[in-house]
């Protein structure tokens, strides 16, 4: 099937809007206006300060329309530059105010007041030009005689010759008056490059331009630079931005004809190509051939990421600008669609790579962000799930406030929002009385609040057994009939009701690594494992202290036959080395068989422990004795992430237990965690693939944040007409 960029010859060919181009001789700017108007161009540029809109006290002259034309400004016959000519169309807005005595008594006004009505009208019109990296503003003085003044109608135009800009650039043009009476007029003019000009011989910088063509190579794109073998040129690929400099991707100096293949997964709408001969003052040709390619737009959304910055702020990270809007939604467990919270909240426009905020009071794992573009859902992610744990069995209450302190409540369900109290047959309606009691007693968490309403998350897990009470009673007879079979399988039943416990310890190197740890913990929760991690216990950790919290979690995990997972990172290795150096007395007292140091007996942090949430540093006080006294085997396991840390970089003391590199050794890692009831090998491989898929977005976000290539350019370079 042909693809849009197969027709690039149309986009790269001649541009009819610039043919033929008028030639102007001389370097000076000039201005002229419609018959009957008088105009004057100030000699020097002015500061671009539009100021605020002011009310007009009478008729004023304002710009109503901008019109551009491309011309050539020539110093010699073959030494020309491309120039933008701008015509500003003007009109008279407003009316003379009638004098108070004339309106009140209906008589004639003072003859002295008639003079302004017959006077000419003057205006100072500003033209502002911006073509990265240059900008300038010019001032045009215009005078309209009274005979041409027709209120609300055009009185003519003033023409400015002209603004020079680089070939292939984009020129932003604004026009307004000083003082400013109305909104600024705006126009964008895209200038052609040397390919779009029939007068290429008149522009010296185009003479040595390499010939560039873009075509299809299967699913990929092929760049063909058809130049002589002696020609040296530079090729630069970049991501074009709306404002500011472009984001560079790859640049290389080349010689002779070249064929370069771009992988189809690397094509995005703002990917542009710049090429220029390696000669002094040579012209750089820019083309952006993938703007309208549907696959490029799909690739852009595929690589876009949502990143949580703080409790309330987040951002959309993408290579290119995107027209998009976002809103919060509520994701209930069970696979039902995420329900948008609009209203009471609203859709917010998104600026890519810029921090955005939602007016939240608290985060919740069931709160998710939906991103739409052109009324189509493109992204959805539960940003708070990694830091607050998996989805909760909570119900969301929407409070609506009206006049005179009237308020109403409804519970959000897949079928809609059920009013409380209600006689409906839904679960929330049956539990409505209990939910209202929980709300009044302060057991619900307030997520959002303003003058129009509020959002509350109320726990439902304590009511689950009530919901199924009748079902359990009906099953008692069946359970009694199977009692003999259950007794025979008692040992197996004891091993399988609950998953094995796992305590995950790590060093909080930075927020990105915490996001990666949270993703791993969430993925392990989907298996028959009960994972404990300090990310999900911030309140308890702050209240109890790191050492007390870790002791309690470690004791419970080991008593239940679970495993303690030491997740090593460069920061964890550094902390271990620092602790061993600063707390060298701890190993010594173990080797000498004397009493433990006082700081360990008192249950405080190890020397050098800092921060209320650093459970890893605090845990070293009791992890190290287990390893030195040979109690670690079967109770501890170590792990690290591929490309972040090699297993042999883990301190030797901790390599006495198995050390796994993730995700490459996930099957073995999961097998150790799930002993002694590890599943069969094929089932273990399936679970490893499930965890690996869940980890992949977090790994890509950590190792390849948006804005950096996923590999070293990823292109094949060939000479002549084929690839080698």
């Amino acid at each position: 099937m042909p693809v849009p960029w197969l027709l690039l010859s149309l986009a790269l060919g001649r541009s009819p809007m610039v043919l033929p181009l008028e030639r102007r001789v001389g370097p000076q700017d000039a201005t002229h206006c419609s018959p009957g108007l008088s105009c004057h161009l100030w000699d020097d540029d002015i500061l671009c300060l539009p100021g605020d809109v002011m009310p007009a006290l009478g008729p004023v002259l304002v710009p109503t329309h901008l019109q551009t034309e491309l011309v050539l400004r020539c110093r010699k016959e073959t030494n020309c530059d491309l120039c933008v000519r701008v015509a500003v169309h003007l009109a008279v807005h407003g009316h003379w105010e009638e004098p108070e005595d004339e309106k009140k008594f209906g008589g004639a006004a003072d003859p002295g007041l008639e003079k302004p009505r017959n006077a000419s009208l003057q205006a100072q019109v500003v033209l502002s030009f911006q073509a990265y990296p240059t900008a300038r503003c010019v001032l045009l003085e215009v005078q309209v005689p009274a005979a041409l003044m027709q209120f609300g109608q055009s009185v003519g135009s003033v023409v400015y010759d002209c603004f020079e800009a680089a070939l292939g650039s984009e020129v932003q043009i604004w026009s307004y008056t000083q003082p400013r009476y109305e909104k600024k007029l705006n126009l964008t003019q895209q200038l052609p490059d040397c390919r779009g000009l029939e007068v290429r011989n008149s522009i010296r910088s185009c003479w040595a331009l390499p010939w560039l063509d873009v075509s299809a190579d299967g699913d990929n794109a092929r760049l063909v630079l058809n130049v002589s073998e002696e020609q040296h040129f530079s090729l630069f690929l970049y991501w074009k931005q709306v404002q500011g400099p472009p984001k560079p991707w790859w640049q290389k100096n080349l010689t002779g004809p070249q064929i370069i293949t771009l992988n189809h997964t690397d094509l995005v709408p703002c990917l542009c190509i710049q090429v220029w001969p390696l000669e002094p003052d040579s012209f750089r040709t820019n083309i952006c051939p993938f703007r309208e390619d549907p696959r490029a737009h799909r690739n852009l959304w595929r690589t876009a990421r949502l990143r949580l910055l703080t409790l309330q702020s987040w951002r959309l990270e993408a290579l290119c600008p995107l027209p998009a809007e976002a809103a919060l939604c509520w994701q209930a467990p069970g696979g039902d669609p995420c329900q948008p919270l609009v209203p009471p909240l609203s859709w917010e426009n998104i600026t890519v790579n810029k921090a955005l905020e939602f007016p939240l009071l608290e985060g919740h794992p069931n709160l998710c962000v939906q991103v739409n573009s052109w009324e189509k859902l493109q992204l959805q992610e539960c940003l708070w799930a990694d830091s607050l744990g998996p989805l909760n069995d909570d119900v969301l209450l929407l409070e609506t406030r009206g006049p005179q302190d009237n308020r109403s409540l409804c519970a959000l369900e897949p079928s809609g929002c059920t009013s409380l109290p209600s006689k409906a047959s839904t679960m929330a309606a049956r539990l409505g009385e209990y939910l209202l009691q929980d709300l009044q007693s302060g057991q619900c968490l307030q997520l959002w609040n303003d003058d129009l309403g509020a959002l509350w998350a109320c726990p439902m897990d304590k009511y689950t057994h009530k919901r199924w009470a009748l079902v359990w009673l009906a099953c008692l007879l069946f359970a009694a009939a199977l009692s003999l079979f259950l007794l025979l399988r008692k040992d197996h039943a004891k091993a399988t009701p609950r998953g094995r416990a796992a305590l995950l310890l790590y060093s909080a190197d930075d927020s990105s690594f915490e996001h990666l740890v949270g993703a791993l913990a969430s993925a392990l929760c989907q298996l028959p494992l009960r994972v404990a991690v300090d990310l999900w216990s911030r309140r308890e950790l702050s209240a109890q202290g790191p050492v007390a919290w870790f002791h309690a979690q470690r004791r419970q995990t080991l008593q239940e036959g679970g495993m303690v997972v030491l997740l090593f990172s460069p920061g964890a290795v550094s902390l271990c080395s620092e602790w061993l150096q600063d707390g060298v007395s701890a190993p010594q007292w173990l080797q000498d068989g004397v009493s433990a140091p006082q700081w360990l007996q008192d249950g405080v942090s190890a020397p050098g422990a800092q921060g209320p949430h650093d459970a890893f540093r605090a845990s070293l006080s009791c992890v190290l004795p287990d390893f030195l006294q040979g109690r670690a085997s079967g109770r501890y396991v170590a792990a690290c992430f591929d490309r972040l840390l090699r297993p042999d970089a883990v301190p030797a003391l901790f390599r006495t237990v198995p050390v796994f590199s993730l995700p490459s050794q996930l099957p073995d890692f999961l097998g150790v965690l799930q002993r002694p009831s590890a599943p069969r090998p094929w089932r273990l491989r399936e679970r490893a693939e499930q965890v690996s898929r869940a980890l992949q977005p977090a790994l890509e976000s950590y190792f390849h944040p948006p804005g950096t290539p996923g590999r070293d350019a990823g292109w094949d370079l060939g000479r002549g007409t084929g690839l080698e």
Side-chain angles (χ1 to χ4, degrees):
M1 179 180 294
V3 293
W5 46 270
L6 285 175
L7 304 177
L8 285 173
S9 57
L10 297 178
L12 302 179
R14 303 177 178 180
S15 179
M17 67 175 180
V18 297
L19 299 177
L21 294 185
E22 177 185 335
R23 292 173 178 263
R24 293 191 71 258
V25 179
Q28 283 77 27
D29 295 346
T31 184
H32 59 275
C33 45
S34 301
L37 276 64
S38 60
C39 51
H40 170 69
L41 172 67
W42 277 35
D43 294 336
D44 300 322
D45 290 356
I46 64 171
L47 294 177
C48 301
L49 300 173
D52 297 329
V53 176
M54 298 177 57
L57 301 180
V60 291
L61 200 60
V62 295
T64 58
H65 177 62
L66 293 178
Q67 189 174 359
T68 59
E69 180 184 4
L70 300 183
V71 296
L72 289 174
R73 172 177 282 176
C74 301
R75 293 162 181 81
K76 296 181 180 179
E77 182 67 22
T78 59
N79 185 12
C80 302
D81 293 302
L82 198 59
C83 206
V84 181
R85 172 185 292 165
V86 181
V88 184
H89 295 266
L90 304 168
V92 178
H93 286 185
H95 298 276
W96 291 109
E97 294 291 340
E98 294 185 8
E100 290 296 327
D101 57 350
E102 182 176 351
K103 291 193 293 183
K104 183 174 181 180
F105 301 107
D110 187 344
L113 297 177
E114 294 293 334
K115 183 177 180 181
R117 300 172 181 258
N118 299 323
S120 60
L121 197 59
Q122 296 182 348
Q124 291 185 332
V125 180
V126 178
L127 278 175
S128 174
F129 300 92
Q130 183 173 346
Y132 184 83
T134 60
R136 59 178 299 206
C137 284
V138 297
L139 183 64
L140 311 175
E141 289 187 338
V142 185
Q143 184 171 346
V144 180
L148 296 180
M149 290 171 54
Q150 298 182 9
F151 297 107
Q153 297 186 12
S154 175
V155 297
S157 62
V158 58
V159 178
Y160 169 73
D161 268 332
C162 57
F163 175 73
E164 290 187 18
L167 290 164
S169 64
E170 185 178 83
V171 182
Q172 294 280 348
I173 306 170
W174 291 271
S175 180
Y176 51 91
T177 59
Q178 285 188 342
R180 188 158 65 95
Y181 301 111
E182 295 191 359
K183 294 181 179 180
K184 296 184 292 184
L185 292 181
N186 175 246
L187 181 66
T188 300
Q189 176 70 58
Q190 180 66 50
L191 272 61
D193 57 21
C194 292
R195 297 176 179 277
L197 299 176
E198 281 295 326
V199 290
R200 186 178 299 112
N201 293 335
S202 300
I203 300 180
R204 181 171 298 177
S205 59
C206 294
W207 293 354
L209 177 70
W211 188 258
L212 173 65
D213 191 19
V214 184
S215 60
D217 182 14
D219 289 337
N220 303 325
R222 175 181 294 175
L223 310 182
V224 180
L225 291 102
N226 210 358
V227 298
S228 63
E229 294 186 359
E230 297 79 15
Q231 178 72 59
H232 301 272
F233 60 93
S234 187
L235 182 68
F236 174 45
L237 269 75
Y238 63 92
W239 295 295
K240 186 177 181 180
Q241 305 300 301
V242 173
Q243 294 181 344
K247 286 185 179 180
W249 183 17
W250 184 84
Q251 180 177 353
K252 192 170 185 179
N253 294 335
L254 302 171
T255 304
Q258 292 283 347
I259 298 177
I260 300 172
T261 301
L262 298 178
N263 193 301
H264 68 92
T265 59
D266 295 326
L267 306 182
V268 292
C270 64
L271 179 60
C272 299
I273 307 163
Q274 187 179 87
V275 60
W276 69 94
L278 293 177
E279 298 177 1
D281 300 326
S282 59
F283 170 70
R284 301 190 177 197
T285 296
N286 296 271
I287 59 172
C288 303
F290 310 109
R291 289 178 178 173
E292 306 300 329
D293 187 351
R295 291 187 299 177
H297 285 271
R298 288 195 295 269
N299 289 339
L300 180 58
W301 281 111
R302 180 180 56 83
T303 59
R305 292 289 181 269
L306 295 174
R307 182 182 296 275
L308 184 66
L309 303 178
T310 64
L311 168 66
Q312 295 179 322
S313 65
W314 59 281
R315 69 168 172 253
L316 172 63
E317 297 178 344
L319 294 173
C320 307
L322 289 169
E325 55 182 4
L328 288 175
C329 65
W330 180 262
Q331 179 65 67
D336 291 320
C338 196
Q339 296 174 277
L341 301 179
V342 180
L345 302 179
S346 60
W347 289 98
E348 301 289 343
N349 292 327
I350 296 178
T351 301
V352 171
N353 300 323
K354 182 179 179 181
L356 302 168
E357 290 191 357
F358 281 124
L360 292 176
L361 301 176
E362 294 286 346
H364 194 282
N366 294 34
L367 281 176
C368 306
V369 177
Q370 287 184 335
V371 178
N372 281 10
S373 180
W374 304 111
E375 299 183 355
K376 180 181 179 182
L377 178 63
Q378 299 289 355
L379 283 177
Q380 178 178 305
E381 189 167 346
C382 301
L383 297 178
W384 293 268
D386 288 338
S387 58
L388 300 178
L391 299 178
N392 292 349
D393 189 19
D394 291 356
V395 63
L396 188 70
L397 301 186
L398 278 67
E399 177 183 349
T400 304
R401 295 168 184 161
Q404 300 179 351
D405 295 331
N406 291 331
R407 72 171 188 168
S408 60
L409 285 166
C410 67
L412 192 63
E413 297 185 283
S415 58
C417 206
T418 304
S419 298
L420 298 181
S422 172
K423 296 182 179 180
S425 59
T426 64
M427 180 183 65
R430 290 193 295 268
L431 300 176
E433 181 180 350
Y434 300 104
L435 292 174
L436 293 176
Q437 291 176 359
D438 289 347
L439 180 62
Q440 294 173 358
S441 62
Q443 298 184 44
C444 298
L445 180 66
Q446 189 176 43
L447 305 179
W448 170 78
N449 183 44
D450 75 353
D451 296 336
L452 299 179
L455 296 175
W456 305 82
C458 298
M460 288 284 289
D461 49 357
K462 61 182 178 180
Y463 301 118
T464 304
H465 70 282
K466 296 181 180 179
R467 177 187 175 191
W468 296 103
L470 294 177
V471 178
W472 286 116
L473 290 174
C475 294
L476 284 178
L477 292 176
F478 180 75
L482 295 177
S483 59
L484 179 62
F485 175 77
L486 295 177
L487 287 174
L488 295 175
R489 306 239 339 157
K490 180 176 61 175
D491 293 339
H492 178 71
K494 287 182 179 179
T496 58
R498 303 199 323 168
R500 194 181 189 191
L503 174 59
L504 191 59
L505 299 177
Y506 69 100
S507 171
D509 292 4
D510 51 42
S511 60
S512 298
F513 187 72
E514 280 192 319
H515 176 75
L516 187 57
V517 173
L520 175 62
S522 297
L524 294 178
C525 283
Q526 306 303 316
L527 307 178
L529 289 171
R530 292 177 290 111
V531 180
V533 62
D534 67 337
L535 271 173
W536 300 342
S537 305
R538 294 298 198 193
R539 295 178 181 176
E540 296 87 342
L541 194 66
S542 297
Q544 301 175 18
V547 172
W549 181 86
F550 170 75
H551 272 286
Q553 294 294 328
R554 171 184 169 276
R555 181 172 59 254
Q556 179 180 350
T557 300
L558 296 182
Q559 285 177 351
E560 295 176 357
M563 295 283 288
V564 178
V565 181
L566 301 177
L567 188 57
F568 280 93
S569 63
V573 173
S574 176
L575 284 173
C576 289
S577 302
E578 176 187 344
W579 195 93
L580 290 172
Q581 179 179 0
D582 294 341
V584 69
S585 58
Q588 191 62 50
W589 65 260
L590 284 170
Q591 296 174 7
D592 296 344
V594 298
S595 299
Q598 189 62 40
W599 58 264
L600 181 54
Q601 297 179 22
D602 295 339
V604 298
S605 299
Q610 298 175 354
H613 305 314
D614 199 345
F616 185 85
R617 187 195 295 265
S619 67
L620 292 178
S621 61
C622 53
V623 166
L624 188 60
D626 285 346
F627 278 85
L628 290 174
Q629 295 180 353
R631 300 196 304 264
S633 180
R635 309 166 83 187
Y636 291 82
V637 65
C640 57
F641 288 108
D642 298 339
R643 293 185 292 167
L644 182 62
L645 190 75
R646 300 191 312 273
D648 57 9
V650 174
L653 178 64
F654 300 99
R655 294 204 300 272
T656 56
V657 298
V659 181
F660 299 101
S661 184
L662 307 180
S664 59
Q665 295 179 324
L666 264 174
D668 296 335
F669 176 67
L670 297 182
V672 171
L673 286 185
Q674 296 180 275
R675 289 176 185 170
S677 57
R680 295 181 179 181
W682 64 270
R683 181 59 176 166
L684 198 60
R685 286 193 298 271
E686 286 185 354
R687 292 179 176 178
E689 292 176 0
Q690 176 184 347
V691 174
S692 180
R693 285 193 300 269
L695 268 179
Q696 198 59 38
L699 287 169
E700 290 183 4
S701 177
Y702 183 84
F703 290 107
H704 306 298
T708 60
R711 52 191 176 279
D712 185 14
W715 306 334
D716 295 324
L717 300 181
R719 295 294 306 273
T721 58
L723 294 174
E724 296 181 358

